[in-house]
Amino acid sequence: ASFTISLRTVDSITVVIKQRPGVSPSCQIRVKNVNRSELKIHPGENVTFTFTCSTPEKYFIMEIQKNIDCVSGPCPFGDVQLYPPGLPRLNRTFIWDVKASTKAGLELKFSTPWLRQIEPGETCPDFVSYNINSCIDTARVNIGTFCRNGSVSRVKLLGGVVMSLHLPWDSPLTTSGFSIANRASIKRLCIIESILNGESSVTLMSPNYPLGFPEDELMTWQFVVPSNMRASVFFHNYSLSNCERKEERVEYYIPGSLSNPEVFKLSDSQPANIAGSFNLSLQGCDQDAQNPGILRLLFQVVVQHPQVDENVTHLVDLSKEYNMTVTIHFKGWPSHIPLMSEPICLICKDPRTCDRILTLVSGTVYKISFLCKDLSRLRITAEKGISCVDPRWCQRKIYSLSVPKAITQLPIQLHKFIWKLLAPDLINTEITSPSLKLQQRVPEQRCNTSYRYSIVSATPETELKVGIFCPGGSIEKIQMRNNITISLEMFGKGFLNESNHQDLKMSFVPHIKDECTFTVRPDPKAKVYLQTPNWLYGLPPYVSISWYIIVPSKQVARLGFSKDRMGITCETGRAYVNIKEETLRAEETVRREDELLPEPRNMYHNFWVNISNCKPVDKMQLDLQFWVTFADKQIDLGVILAVVAGAGVLAAIGLTVCCVKKKKKKSQNPMVGVYNANVNTQVPGRQGLFTKGRKNNESHVYAVIDDAMVYGHLLKESNGSVTPEVDVYRPFDGPIGSLPPSPPPLSFKKDIKRSPNTEEPSPLMDTDHDAYTFAHQKSGQSEDNGDTNEENNGDTSTSLLENKEQEGLVE
């Protein structure tokens, strides 16, 4: 297809078609059978041409420039047309270069939907953009780049202007969308008008942004806001130049204000909650010639409906708090920055000092209000530090880790409350929950409360995520080393009601050997799951964790692990699992990382579980989970029957013994066991009188045994229980001295196993009238120590039975 462009001289229009930068010249422009890479058509020329390819929009762009001289002649004011018609469909830029006197002003008025300023490098959704430059003498200032669909309705400039409209090759736009009008001198660089209807926002930048605002210049933004709306100004990015004279500042002209203009530094918090329209001006200064610096500003104006109860203030009394900050912020802060086009919520310390984020500090009383249509978009994050400076004092104090009422009474949802606990060396931190207790969150037991605690133990080198806990569990106490961070996190509704029952407390305690120790008192009716800290990343190398499980007296606990092995291989050291009941002579169960973990077992007393890590090989981590359940102790029916039968036997024995004693007392005198004390066992020559030494004869055997002792074996308990000691005669197997051993007392002690080195307690005095009577060696005679030498010092004493036969004593 061929194209013809005819330009009139009076229009002062020049058309240039040239190749797109960075594109290969595979397509040409053919004029009168001559191929060209560029075509320039001047005013008064008529040119016909074609392209050597079917898609010239891929290879060429076009510029149409119109010069307007308002200095030497009248200006063609009114709507600006896109001329000439019939242009080829190429990416094109229309440029209007208007020259005007600095004593007059030009106004660019845009038709709806008006314009929106964008940052340099940003593109418009429809690729249609406007660029405005102000020309004063030879200096050119970039007022800004704009897209369609915004709030900028007019731009007034001092002196000349260069206006550009960029259209893509397929744009259906046929009008420029603006008009030019003549105005009196505005006595400043430019005035930009923005009309804000309803809830909306606009982002604007200083001329030449991000480069510097011209030295000692003044410009103004005019904001047209309905009187029933409220506007707030936020400076998002700015920098200051180095001033020699004057001071860079912003000035506000607010209708009805008693202090117009209100002057602010760029570093100040800018006015908020402004009712109706207002003006904002930026004033530069005389800059240092050697080091001028850059003055630039990017800001946002937000317009919204006033809050229904905008005059309601909320008292936040932090006067009695220490080392605490409270930040009220938008949802998602600080990781998420809301778009400037999103509805905004403001927190105000006073009617004109408002911001998206407000931080309150302890020791102060605040009266705050909210400029926000939906308070659910706001959140509260608080942080409190507790440190132990003097261990002698802080170890005696218990700190309550609860959210202050000053925060819970606000109509804003609490997002997170953080306690940072700092302990000195050799002092540890103890967390307790006396009534609610804590539940560790594991896949098998989820939290069903509106909040939870995240506990982290940290040193400058390492961080140990102890776990996530919620109230209503079985963990009474957690003792930890190092500095601790506890974060109360909200993830559900109902915290205002549940917060009244917070009972988490903290204290500083002496040093503990493990990295972390849990005290657990499980609910007897529940199955409790416990797992090692740092679950997602594995227990750090060489860290030891302990759990102390409390078992009710009338119940038995069952302990089991969720897997059969630790699942690691140690590079250095050994990993262990230790289990031990807290009872006398309890056996300790120990498993290494290369062994199977213990099978589920019953625990009858309070017990300890300790897990100690080694340094695992790469890409291996130690994470263990175990569970505890409870059941009532079962009494064996056989034991009950044995006890009943034993009681009956005892009654029978008692009756028999009484009858035998009465009969014996009537028929005979008490029998006497006589010991021969006339033998001088110290004289070696007398050994010949005895054919046996005492250790080889039966001189230590009792001559008479009371009948009551014969029935003792009937008292033995059934079912393998401990058998009471009964006075059935047993041969003496121990070392034998010159004196026979005293008989054991008539008692029913439990059989206690003693080691060979354990010293036997002295027997009780026997008071039974039927006990044996022994004649002992008189005092002053030495005892025979010959039993220390078995061969040379045989015992020469005579048994009681032999004495009786020699003396003619017969029963």
Side-chain angles (χ1 to χ4, degrees), residues 401 417-419 421 429-433 438-440 452-458 463-470 475 477-489 504-505 515-516 518 533-535:
L401 303 184
F417 198 107
I418 302 171
W419 291 274
L421 314 178
T429 304
E430 180 178 281
I431 307 299
T432 60
S433 181
L438 296 176
Q439 170 188 307
Q440 186 174 17
R452 65 191 179 195
Y453 298 100
S454 173
I455 303 179
V456 177
S457 171
E463 182 178 85
L464 178 69
K465 298 182 183 299
V466 178
I468 295 176
F469 304 86
C470 52
I475 300 175
K477 180 168 60 178
I478 307 175
Q479 291 182 324
M480 294 164 285
R481 294 161 60 181
N482 308 320
N483 296 328
I484 307 300
T485 298
I486 302 176
S487 301
L488 184 151
E489 300 173 352
L504 198 67
K505 301 185 184 304
E515 192 74 25
C516 186
F518 298 85
N534 235 43
W535 181 255

Side-chain angles (χ1 to χ4, degrees), residues 274-499:
I274 303 172
S277 303
F278 67 98
N279 293 350
L280 168 61
S281 298
L282 174 64
Q283 175 66 64
C285 66
D286 291 334
Q287 298 174 350
D288 184 350
Q290 301 297 324
N291 184 21
I294 292 177
L295 171 62
R296 61 186 172 193
L297 173 64
L298 182 148
F299 68 99
Q300 181 185 20
V301 175
V302 178
V303 175
Q304 56 197 135
H305 290 284
Q307 188 182 0
V308 175
D309 54 349
E310 62 176 325
N311 295 324
V312 174
T313 59
H314 301 271
L315 184 68
V316 183
D317 187 359
L318 304 179
S319 59
K320 296 181 180 179
E321 299 292 339
Y322 298 95
N323 199 19
M324 186 174 77
T325 60
V326 179
T327 302
I328 306 175
H329 54 85
F330 50 85
K331 188 177 180 180
W333 174 87
S335 58
H336 168 70
I337 303 298
L339 299 175
M340 294 182 183
S341 58
E342 291 183 19
I344 193 170
C345 280
L346 301 178
I347 309 102
C348 304
K349 289 192 294 185
D350 57 62
R352 291 284 296 279
T353 306
C354 305
D355 207 336
R356 282 184 168 184
I357 302 170
L358 179 63
T359 299
L360 314 177
V361 297
S362 55
T364 311
V365 178
Y366 296 90
K367 291 183 178 180
I368 65 173
S369 60
F370 301 100
L371 186 58
C372 182
K373 189 175 182 180
D374 183 8
L375 290 178
S376 66
R377 299 202 298 261
L378 292 178
R379 293 292 185 271
I380 296 176
T381 296
E383 182 176 308
K384 183 178 180 66
I386 301 176
S387 60
C388 178
V389 179
D390 185 356
R392 295 172 299 177
W393 178 82
C394 60
Q395 287 191 71
R396 298 195 302 265
K397 186 172 181 180
I398 298 177
Y399 301 86
S400 175
L401 303 184
S402 59
V403 181
K405 294 293 184 183
I407 296 177
T408 58
Q409 70 183 5
L410 290 173
I412 308 298
Q413 180 177 328
L414 177 66
H415 170 62
K416 185 182 292 185
F417 198 107
I418 302 171
W419 291 274
K420 292 191 173 182
L421 314 178
L422 307 178
D425 294 338
L426 302 180
I427 295 294
N428 297 142
T429 304
E430 180 178 281
I431 307 299
T432 60
S433 181
S435 58
L436 294 179
K437 302 192 184 72
L438 296 176
Q439 170 188 307
Q440 186 174 17
R441 193 189 71 168
V442 298
E444 290 78 5
Q445 54 188 21
R446 296 289 183 177
C447 295
N448 57 4
T449 55
S450 64
Y451 65 98
R452 65 191 179 195
Y453 298 100
S454 173
I455 303 179
V456 177
S457 171
T459 65
E461 296 81 19
T462 61
E463 182 178 85
L464 178 69
K465 298 182 183 299
V466 178
I468 295 176
F469 304 86
C470 52
S474 59
I475 300 175
E476 285 187 340
K477 180 168 60 178
I478 307 175
Q479 291 182 324
M480 294 164 285
R481 294 161 60 181
N482 308 320
N483 296 328
I484 307 300
T485 298
I486 302 176
S487 301
L488 184 151
E489 300 173 352
M490 295 287 304
F491 59 95
K493 297 181 179 180
F495 176 73
L496 291 180
N497 295 328
E498 295 181 2
S499 65

Side-chain angles (χ1 to χ4, degrees), residues 555-570:
Q555 291 191 311
V556 58
R558 188 155 183 84
L559 167 68
F561 288 85
S562 298
K563 56 184 181 180
D564 58 357
R565 288 185 179 272
M566 296 190 203
I568 63 169
T569 301
C570 290

